[in-house]
Amino acid sequence: MCYSLSNNAIPYLIFKSNVHKAERQILFFARQHPGETISSHLMESLLKSLCKNSKILEKFEVICVPMLNVDGVIYGNFRTNLAGYDINRQWQNTDKWLNPEVHAMKKLLVKNPKIEFVLDLHGHSKKFNSFIYACKQ
């Protein structure tokens, strides 16, 4: 997808059917906050499910970004990237040089009008079980 501040690749995977051509896309991404390791476990389960079950791929092409904040994970930050920014708070005013992860993700979203659903996987330190923050639309 792009490279981080310390030149680490931020990869993404695309799952699609060999038989059906999907006109719609779903985007999953994880590890905006490096310390929320549970999101990696969620992403791993999601990737395994996509490899086993092709039913969803009959209707959707699925894009997965397993680790958006690669630098934060590598260097042991809890919530920030290498520049010290919580990239989950940089979506509105994105600096291309200080937040290349968010800049690339926004470009991906704008370039793909077929994306119908986006799920950002997190783990919370005080909320247990499952919960959702969502747009009003």
Side-chain angles (χ1 to χ4, degrees), residues 17-101:
S17 172
N18 291 332
V19 179
H20 302 90
K21 181 170 172 50
E23 295 295 322
R24 304 179 309 173
Q25 294 177 323
I26 298 174
L27 171 64
F28 296 102
F29 63 100
R31 294 302 283 271
Q32 277 197 88
H33 293 136
E36 296 175 3
T37 55
I38 191 67
S39 64
S40 282
H41 296 285
L42 293 168
M43 180 61 78
E44 180 182 10
S45 293
L46 174 70
L47 295 173
K48 285 179 179 177
S49 290
L50 287 169
C51 289
K52 288 180 189 173
N53 182 358
S54 61
K55 289 239 184 236
I56 194 168
L57 300 179
E58 292 174 10
K59 297 187 185 238
F60 294 97
E61 185 175 283
V62 181
I63 304 168
C64 295
V65 182
M67 193 174 296
L68 189 59
N69 191 346
V70 171
D71 285 349
V73 173
I74 290 171
Y75 295 104
N77 295 356
F78 188 76
R79 287 188 68 86
T80 62
N81 69 358
L82 202 57
Y85 287 94
D86 178 344
I87 65 172
N88 196 39
R89 304 290 183 262
Q90 301 303 311
W91 285 85
Q92 193 155 6
N93 299 312
T94 307
D95 185 302
K96 178 180 176 178
W97 305 109
L98 295 174
N99 310 118
E101 314 90 341

Side-chain angles (χ1 to χ4, degrees), residues 117-136:
F117 181 78
V118 177
L119 184 62
D120 173 14
L121 301 172
H122 282 267
H124 202 282
S125 60
K126 295 187 178 167
K127 294 191 189 264
F128 301 107
N129 302 316
S130 299
F131 66 96
I132 294 176
Y133 290 122
C135 301
K136 292 180 182 178

